[in-house]
Amino acid sequence: MRMAAASVLRRGAFCAVLILACVATAQAVRAQMGSVEMPPAEDEPPTTEVRPGGASCGTINARAMEASLMIRQHASALSIGIDPELRAQGMVLLAFLDQWTGRLRGLVDLGEYTDCLDDGEAETYRRALATAVRVGNQAREELYRPFRGQQTQQPQQRNRRP
């Protein structure tokens, strides 16, 4: 029994030391948490000015900037021309360009109505719209024009066969 009692006492002592170590660690963590001062919580969140359009000026400007960047990206891809073998991809790019153009046109109208756009921003977005219209018309002309390369090759092949 003495051996069993000694074993139980050792295990109990070990558990007691472990518990004391955990308590000391928890107190140290609480002391550190208390030393970091948290800023006082605000009663009300900061107010954002919402115009008659239903969105803040910052949101309108951010969405218009995003649309103008996407227009420039798609216009850049379409401005080099559409390869006749990749007409389907050209049509998709043209559709995306039209989508972003319509979105930017609506945001510019909303920004002007709510006085959210200053003259410089409005001019930047109008230039992006003009670029989109010009490149879009050029791409439509290329897409809807009959492909002449196939028409000229077919008669030559027919003449060679007989």
Side-chain angles (χ1 to χ4, degrees):
M1 279 278 205
R2 290 185 180 183
M3 292 284 240
S7 176
V8 169
L9 285 176
R10 282 188 205 133
R11 287 183 188 157
F14 176 74
C15 288
V17 169
L18 188 61
I19 290 172
L20 289 175
C22 289
V23 169
T25 305
Q27 288 177 350
V29 168
R30 280 191 200 143
Q32 286 178 351
M33 299 264 308
S35 67
V36 176
E37 293 183 21
M38 298 297 289
E42 296 180 18
D43 294 336
E44 296 179 16
T47 58
T48 56
E49 185 176 345
V50 177
R51 302 289 180 135
S56 68
C57 287
T59 302
I60 293 171
N61 286 328
R63 298 294 180 234
M65 180 59 70
E66 176 190 19
S68 69
L69 292 174
M70 293 304 294
I71 285 172
R72 287 189 177 104
Q73 179 183 2
H74 293 304
S76 176
L78 286 170
S79 67
I80 58 173
I82 298 172
D83 189 15
E85 297 169 0
L86 303 174
R87 289 174 65 107
Q89 291 175 349
M91 289 180 142
V92 170
L93 280 175
L94 182 59
F96 282 138
L97 180 67
D98 289 341
Q99 173 195 4
W100 285 104
T101 302
R103 185 176 293 179
L104 181 60
R105 189 171 289 122
L107 288 166
V108 168
D109 291 344
L110 179 62
E112 288 176 349
Y113 173 72
T114 58
D115 295 327
C116 285
L117 299 178
D118 62 14
D119 292 336
E121 292 170 336
E123 182 63 26
T124 299
Y125 300 142
R126 283 191 200 101
R127 287 183 183 183
L129 286 170
T131 300
V133 168
R134 187 183 74 246
V135 172
N137 288 340
Q138 177 186 358
R140 277 185 201 82
E141 183 180 323
E142 286 182 33
L143 283 172
Y144 299 133
R145 179 178 356 147
F147 182 56
R148 294 181 184 161
Q150 291 177 346
Q151 293 173 352
T152 58
Q153 290 176 357
Q154 290 174 357
Q156 291 174 355
Q157 291 175 355
R158 290 182 187 165
N159 291 338
R160 290 182 187 173
R161 287 185 187 167

